[in-house]
Amino acid sequence: MDGRRTTASGTRARVRTKAVLITSTGTGTGRVAAQTIFSGSTRLRPLIAESARQGLRMAFTVRLAKTGYLHFSGSHTDSPGVRCNVIQRADHTEERSYGSAASGGFDATDFVARRVDAAGGDVTAAVHQWPVETGRIRPDAEIVYLEVCTWCLR
């Protein structure tokens, strides 16, 4: 037996082995959804840790129910303040991006040290903490999709 998981029908299960990638130029992206989010998005931990090691910048996109946000989309109170970084979905959820190359994003080293490590490695909790602290989402809002992007300042 090769140790691979099997499906209910007995066939070999398709298992993702590499969740994230940082290129030689420092850019990287990692995405997780429902099942992985509930387990703390541990698949994103290597991306964030490596971006911190390399001193990269990062941004993230969160998706949650529209009622989870405290400000309407496009509000100048909420980042980014322009509707172009907001995607509204048919299932009454909304994606909003925080941090960008134009705004400078977040320092990955600081983000890992202060947030991810403080959350015991739970990336979802660490990302959730920032918009709650800054008054952008409700504390009980559940993230249903999370994407982290990294890049190198030039």
Side-chain angles (χ1 to χ4, degrees), residues 3-132:
R4 295 262 329 233
R5 289 189 278 172
T6 58
T7 64
S9 64
T11 60
R12 287 176 60 157
R14 291 182 2 177
V15 179
R16 294 180 190 170
T17 57
K18 190 165 190 166
V20 296
L21 170 71
I22 294 182
T23 66
S24 60
T25 61
T27 59
T29 303
R31 297 175 182 93
V32 292
Q35 185 176 2
T36 307
I37 284 179
F38 295 122
S39 66
S41 302
T42 54
R43 290 180 50 220
L44 292 179
R45 177 76 169 136
L47 171 71
I48 294 173
E50 181 60 18
S51 61
R53 189 187 72 71
Q54 293 184 26
L56 303 177
R57 305 298 292 176
M58 63 176 280
F60 55 87
T61 299
V62 295
R63 181 170 158 190
L64 49 111
K66 289 180 187 180
T67 58
Y69 292 101
L70 294 173
H71 307 287
F72 62 89
S73 60
S75 165
H76 289 285
T77 308
D78 187 37
S79 180
V82 290
R83 205 171 172 91
C84 64
N85 287 340
V86 175
I87 300 172
Q88 298 197 2
R89 303 289 181 169
D91 63 355
H92 304 289
T93 61
E94 197 168 274
E95 286 182 20
R96 295 190 187 183
S97 299
Y98 298 100
S100 68
S103 70
F106 299 95
D107 176 37
T109 306
D110 181 55
F111 197 87
V112 168
R114 286 193 320 127
R115 299 196 184 275
V116 178
D117 290 346
D122 186 333
V123 177
T124 305
V127 169
H128 185 269
Q129 178 187 11
W130 182 82
V132 168

